Each structure stands twice: as structure tokens, then as C-alpha cells.
Amino acid sequence: MTTTSTYESIAEEVLRGVGGKDNVRSLAHCATRLRFVLVDPSRADKAAVESTSGVITVVEAGGQFQVVIGNTVGHVYEAVVAQGVDGAGGGSTGGPLSRVIDLVTSIFIPFLWTLAAAGLLKALLTVAVKISPGFGATSTYAIWFAAADAVFQFLPILLAVTAAKRFKANQFTAIVIACALVYSATIAVMPGAHGASVTLQAFAQGGGKLTFLGIPVVMANYLSAVVPTILAVYVQSHVERLAERVLPAMVRNFGTPLVTLALVVPASFLAIGPVSTWIGDTLASGVDHLWGLSPWAAGTLLGGLWQVLVVFGLHWAFIPIAFQQLATTGHTDLAGALFAPVLAQAAATFAVFLRTRDRDLKAVAGPAALSGFLAGVTEPAVYGVTLRLKRPFVFACVGGAVGGGIATAGGSAATSFVLPGAITVTSTLNVGSFALQLLGCAIGMVIAFALTLVVGFKDLPAASGTAAGPSDAASDGKTSQDGKAPEGGMASQGRIATLAAPVAGKAVPLAEVPDQVFASGAMGSGLAVIPSEGKVYAPLSGTLVSVMPHAFGIRSDSGVEVLVHIGLNTVELQGRGFTPAVAQGQRVNAGDLLTDVDLQVITDAGYDPITVLIVTDPGAHTAVVPTATGDVQPRRAALDLVG
């Protein structure tokens, strides 16, 4: 049993590793992690913290130094705070680059999959027109193209919603500001030639003089505008706060948005839009210039480093540049170099799947390779497989560099925003040499796959060839024929103990959870459920050792410890949307209600509601085998503990 002195010891070692309490600007914690914001991140010794007994791993992301502890994080947090550390949370998120990346991720992530889906649809329509040119002239094509292209044309409106959340501004006012920007290019309001009306943008392009109160207006194209929208909402947030302070209470409700719209919309057309558009065009021109000097060298460099940038979250800094290129030229050169490194990472992961003898690693590598190949999502592959083994990650970067250089040597570029993958590579059909793009992807994959399979890697030593699978478990015991967990939720039969699903929904492998700590298995083995309803139940009988609105740690009488974690980063909701039915220290039986969750609150706030069931301590058991697939119901068998 972990004692108070042990928590204090962990706290002392962690504090020493992060550079002492004077180097801690602020500290918060979620269900599994201490989240430090450091004064000087360079003073932290990541290796020393990771080597501390009781620490699972360390993640540096979003300007935070995150120390993954597990179910006992609350006790360690209290021990750290007891030593004089600010436990209020918040504070600065690091240096300028870190802040920019954190800003971009928080604004784009909530609708990233919608962007990716729309980009994929555009890519598929491109293929359809290549196969049947006449299809492009049909109304069916036009309707599907509207579905695919609308999100890019009216991107400012989506950005307004998430930027308003980030800057704590009124979302509806932000949407109106974004609509005003889009309005300038879509609605006819100015007199044009032959008595016809034209848009503000068309009027300016035709030589008309636009002014506001006599001040000349430089009209830019605000369709697909990224930087102007974000800056406009940022200014809006400050105007609103000022208006709230100075306006009388009796007129504040309508006066604040009135003042905000009257000031921010003209300011956007007069200054914010032109200046930010110039900045974006300059960045895009810089990338174009680099590509113009040596496309293959630029592609080789970006292709080789892309997955490294993903590891540190730096790849988000390229998103605004890509959108600016799309807005100004109709294609983005950056994307031409990215398909090879993504597919090379998937190929290296598949080679690990074929070569490893560790069944837990094999269970992670298979789905991760498929996710990278088809969907272009490599985080499960990187964090869960290749980066853990080191060599496969390097081999994939080599393949990405070679493949990226070949693809960009032919001038390949994408005509829409997509997550690079085997299907979305069709977005490069109409720019540059598609043959060289395919050749680059193929060579990159072959290099990564062959090096990983032939040169090899040091397999995970702890469980190589020893982890029991479902076939091993079958000889020792069974669950009931209807799939229900034995009474008590974790009954042992022979060498098998069974845990129940905590929530109704669709079961998915842990490797598919879009969080590196969970997906990599660093916290332990288990599975995840994409919930279809908001009632969460105890997967086994035991004592609640930790209770937060969004996460519950349970320890059984036999020493098995599990974590039920509802949503990703939902600690930021501070309990909103959760109605816990239990308290810490309480004893629960398998199937008892832990909490009611309003899933709509989670998704509306931009968070993923995926629910994770992890065995953080298997007790006397030697392996964790997920048994649930597809649609699952709570209180039905989900995991077997074997041995």
C-alpha cells in the first residue's frame, strides 16, 4: 500500500526534477497527470522525473510539463502543494512559439475532423471527374461539391466559434463578425456596371473606391480567411470586456454587442483584415519562394522532419500557412511533401506488427498502422509503437524524407485541406506530377517497412512472447454465454477475471484514443468506448480510491486497480456536464452508477467524449485481454485479466 511518506517522496523527486518550486509558475492536475507550467522549461530534467518511482511518463505539450502519475495523482498533487507550490492552475503557457501552437490547436481541433472529411470528399470527387469527365457538369456533382467546399469557403464562421471560446468572447457576436467578413465577398450591395449590384470585394476589384467615414478601405478576400478572423475575435474579446465595465447595467445586454459590432467590424475592414492578410500572404510567399529555389530539397527536409514536428506538436504552426496558400493559389505546396512521411510511419508500424513477439504491442501496432494508412492519423503509431522502439521511428523519418523529396520534385501539391493518407493522396491529382507523388509514397513506405523488418529493433523485453491471448485464456475459464460479466463484475474462474464495460457505445482499441498517454499503453492496458449514452457504471466491485467529476479510480479487494476516464481533457470543464453519484472512499459494486454525463456539453465545448477503461494495476494477473468489440452495453464483459 502506498503511504503518505511515499507521496511526499514522489513529490520531492518530481519537484527537484522540474527545477524546484521556484521554477513552477502554476500547477493543476487531472485524473492522471500533474500539469506544471514552468518559469524556465529548460531547467526541467525530463529523464530524472521519468525515472522517479511512481511516475509513469512525462509529456510536454501545449506549454505544459505533464507528469503522468495514475490514480494516486491527487495525493501526489497535495504533497506538491504542501511544499509551497501554487496549485491554482492556469498561468502562462510558455514562450511565443508554444503560445502560438497552443492557440492554433485549441481553435482548429474542435472541427478538424469535419475539415478532414470535407477534404476527403473533395479528393474523391476529383477522382470521380478524372474517371468520368462528364460527371463534373451534373447537378449531383455540384451538390456534393457544395458539401465538400462550403466548410473551406466559410471557414471564418467555424473559426469564430472556437476562437470565441478560446478568447472568452460572445460566440454569437463573433459569428456575426465572421459573417460580415464573408458577406463582403458573397452578397451584392454596391452599384456595379450596367446598373447591376456587386459585392464589396468585386466593387473594389473593379476600381471602385471604398471608404468608411472617409477613411479608405483596402478590401481583401475574406473567404477562407484564417488570421483575420482570429485577430478580429481577439479584438472583440477586449472590446466586450471594456463595454461590460463602462455600460450601465440597464443597457448592457444589447449595448455590449451593439458597441462591439459597430467598432470591430469596421476595424476589421480598415486594419485587422488588410494587415493580417499581408502577414499571411508574406508567410505563404516565403514558403512558395523556398519551394521555388529547390522543391526536392524543401520536400526532403519537411518529409524527414514532419513526424518529429508531430511529436512536439509543432506541426500545427503550418496549418495557417497551408490555408493561406489554398486561399491565394488554390493549392498548398506543403501538403505535397506530407503523404510520404505519414504513409512511411504506417509502414514501419505494420512491420513492427509483423515482427514483434509482444502480443500487447502487436495489438497496438495493427490498428495504429491501419489508422495511419487510411486516415492519416499517426499519433497512435508514433506514441504507441515506433517512438517507443526508437529505430522504427527513425526508419520512417528516412523513408519520409526520400519520399517527400521525390513527390515535391514533380511539383506535387494538394488542392484542399486533408489529413495525408492513402485515400486523400488523390487531392494531389491536378497539381504537379501525380505519378511522382505515388512513386515517392511507395518508395518511402518500402524504405520504412524494409529497414524495420530487416534491420529490426529491440523488442519490448517485459512481455515478449509471454503475454497471454484469448486462446490461452480460453482453457482456464469462461464468461457466461450471453456475454455478461460474472456476478460481482470481476469473478475469477481458473486464471481469468472479467471486467465489465463502463458505458454503452462502440468499443475501440486503446491505440485509437487520440491521446498519446492512453494510446501508448503507458498508463496500462485496456480499451475505450465511444459512448452513445451518458450513464457510466463501475466495471468491477471495490473501493473508490479517486473520484473526479470526469474520472474514477477503483481498487478491488484482490488488488486490481482500474481507471474509468470520461473524455479527453475534460478536466478543463471543471465538472460542468457531470453529475457524480459516488464519493471518494465509498465502496461500489460492479454495475453501480458512477456518474451521469451530458455528452452534448462535452462535444459543444470541443472535447472528445471517448471513455477509457484502463487496468492501472492488474494485481496478481499477468495480462489484460480486451474481449469487447463493436457495440457494447454496460455491465457486459469487456476485458479479461489472465494469469
Side-chain angles (χ1 to χ4, degrees):
M1 178 179 292
T2 308
T3 63
T4 301
S5 61
T6 302
Y7 301 135
E8 293 174 349
S9 176
I10 296 172
E12 290 173 359
E13 291 295 323
V14 169
L15 268 181
R16 189 178 299 113
V18 299
K21 65 180 182 181
D22 293 338
N23 195 38
V24 179
R25 190 184 304 276
S26 65
L27 170 67
H29 81 93
C30 58
T32 60
R33 315 176 195 191
L34 297 173
R35 296 171 177 257
F36 289 93
V37 175
L38 302 180
V39 175
D40 182 3
S42 66
R43 289 169 56 187
D45 188 341
K46 181 179 178 181
V49 177
E50 286 185 322
S51 66
T52 300
S53 176
V55 172
I56 297 173
T57 189
V58 171
V59 178
E60 295 180 85
Q64 293 182 339
F65 190 89
Q66 302 176 12
V67 182
V68 183
I69 302 292
N71 282 345
T72 60
V73 67
H75 298 293
V76 179
Y77 169 81
E78 292 172 0
V80 174
V81 172
Q83 298 192 35
V85 172
D86 175 16
S92 170
T93 56
L97 179 59
S98 177
R99 294 185 183 192
V100 169
I101 292 170
D102 182 46
L103 174 66
V104 172
T105 56
S106 64
I107 290 175
F108 275 94
I109 279 180
F111 57 85
L112 180 65
W113 289 110
T114 302
L115 284 177
L120 176 58
L121 181 55
K122 286 186 74 173
L124 293 175
L125 288 173
T126 300
V127 175
V129 172
K130 286 288 184 181
I131 296 173
S132 176
F135 177 64
T138 65
S139 57
T140 300
Y141 171 85
I143 292 173
W144 265 334
F145 189 82
D149 196 50
V151 68
F152 300 103
Q153 295 297 322
F154 301 105
L155 184 61
I157 298 173
L158 276 70
L159 291 170
V161 175
T162 53
K165 177 179 180 295
R166 169 69 187 217
F167 299 132
K168 296 181 173 57
N170 184 293
Q171 286 189 337
F172 296 101
T173 304
I175 291 171
V176 174
I177 292 171
C179 287
L181 296 177
V182 174
Y183 192 95
S184 67
T186 56
I187 305 298
V189 293
M190 293 293 291
H194 308 297
S197 296
V198 297
T199 65
L200 285 172
Q201 182 181 320
F203 180 77
Q205 290 174 344
K209 293 183 179 180
L210 291 176
T211 62
F212 177 78
L213 298 179
I215 305 172
V217 175
V218 178
M219 182 55 62
N221 181 11
Y222 294 109
L223 292 177
S224 304
V226 174
V227 181
T229 307
I230 294 173
L231 288 181
V233 176
Y234 175 74
V235 173
Q236 170 207 344
S237 68
H238 287 278
V239 173
E240 283 180 342
R241 283 191 276 274
L242 178 61
E244 290 284 342
R245 287 199 300 268
V246 301
L247 290 177
M250 62 185 300
V251 300
R252 195 174 295 153
N253 286 343
F254 66 86
T256 297
L258 173 62
V259 170
T260 303
L261 291 174
L263 294 178
V264 176
V265 172
S268 298
F269 285 117
L270 287 168
I272 298 172
V275 171
S276 55
T277 299
W278 177 82
I279 293 172
D281 287 344
T282 301
L283 290 173
S285 296
V287 173
D288 291 340
H289 180 67
L290 177 63
W291 247 251
L293 290 175
S294 180
W296 69 267
T300 299
L301 181 64
L302 187 59
L305 293 178
W306 184 249
Q307 292 300 303
V308 178
L309 296 174
V310 170
V311 169
F312 292 102
L314 298 176
H315 62 303
W316 289 102
F318 290 85
I319 299 294
I321 299 175
F323 273 106
Q324 191 66 30
Q325 286 186 321
L326 286 169
T328 55
T329 66
H331 62 265
T332 170
D333 297 315
L334 289 172
L338 303 184
F339 292 92
V342 168
L343 294 175
Q345 199 69 231
T349 306
F350 183 61
V352 171
F353 170 78
L354 296 178
R355 179 168 175 137
T356 183
R357 296 177 58 208
D358 186 285
R359 291 181 179 174
D360 287 341
L361 181 60
K362 190 181 288 287
V364 172
L370 190 63
S371 172
F373 185 75
L374 293 180
V377 179
T378 57
E379 280 81 355
V382 171
Y383 294 120
V385 183
T386 60
L387 201 58
R388 293 171 70 188
L389 301 175
K390 297 181 177 62
R391 281 187 180 180
F393 182 78
V394 174
F395 297 153
C397 289
V398 172
V402 175
I406 294 172
T408 53
S412 183
T415 54
S416 61
F417 176 85
V418 294
L419 295 182
I423 298 176
T424 56
V425 72
T426 53
S427 64
T428 65
L429 263 172
N430 293 328
V431 181
S433 172
F434 187 61
L436 282 182
Q437 174 65 257
L438 294 181
L439 180 63
C441 290
I443 291 178
M445 292 174 66
V446 169
I447 290 173
F449 180 83
L451 288 176
T452 303
L453 198 64
V454 177
V455 177
F457 51 88
K458 185 177 180 181
D459 209 352
L460 296 183
S464 294
T466 63
S471 60
D472 300 314
S475 63
D476 295 311
K478 299 179 180 178
T479 56
S480 58
Q481 291 183 352
D482 63 0
K484 294 182 179 179
E487 185 177 354
M490 196 199 73
S492 293
Q493 300 184 8
R495 294 192 301 119
I496 294 182
T498 298
L499 304 184
V503 66
K506 179 183 178 182
V508 296
L510 208 58
E512 295 184 15
V513 177
D515 179 282
Q516 57 177 312
V517 174
F518 292 141
S520 68
M523 284 289 300
S525 300
L527 54 72
V529 180
I530 301 171
S532 59
E533 63 180 42
K535 291 188 178 295
V536 182
Y537 302 91
L540 78 169
S541 300
T543 302
L544 288 159
V545 294
S546 65
V547 171
M548 299 185 73
H550 67 290
F552 301 83
I554 307 174
R555 182 189 297 124
S556 75
D557 294 338
S558 63
V560 173
E561 292 189 18
V562 302
L563 171 69
V564 179
H565 195 286
I566 306 156
L568 303 181
N569 292 317
T570 42
V571 63
E572 304 293 344
L573 291 173
Q574 298 181 339
R576 186 162 55 91
F578 297 88
T579 308
V582 293
Q584 188 165 327
Q586 178 180 334
R587 182 169 182 82
V588 293
N589 293 318
D592 284 352
L593 181 68
L594 296 177
T595 185
D596 279 302
V597 185
D598 189 332
L599 299 177
Q600 194 64 45
V601 169
I602 295 178
T603 54
D604 286 350
Y607 299 107
D608 190 332
I610 192 168
T611 297
V612 178
L613 171 60
I614 287 182
V615 180
T616 55
D617 186 345
H621 302 280
T622 59
V624 179
V625 181
T627 56
T629 58
D631 293 335
V632 296
Q633 294 297 321
R635 305 169 181 167
R636 298 294 181 96
L639 292 175
D640 279 348
L641 305 183
V642 182

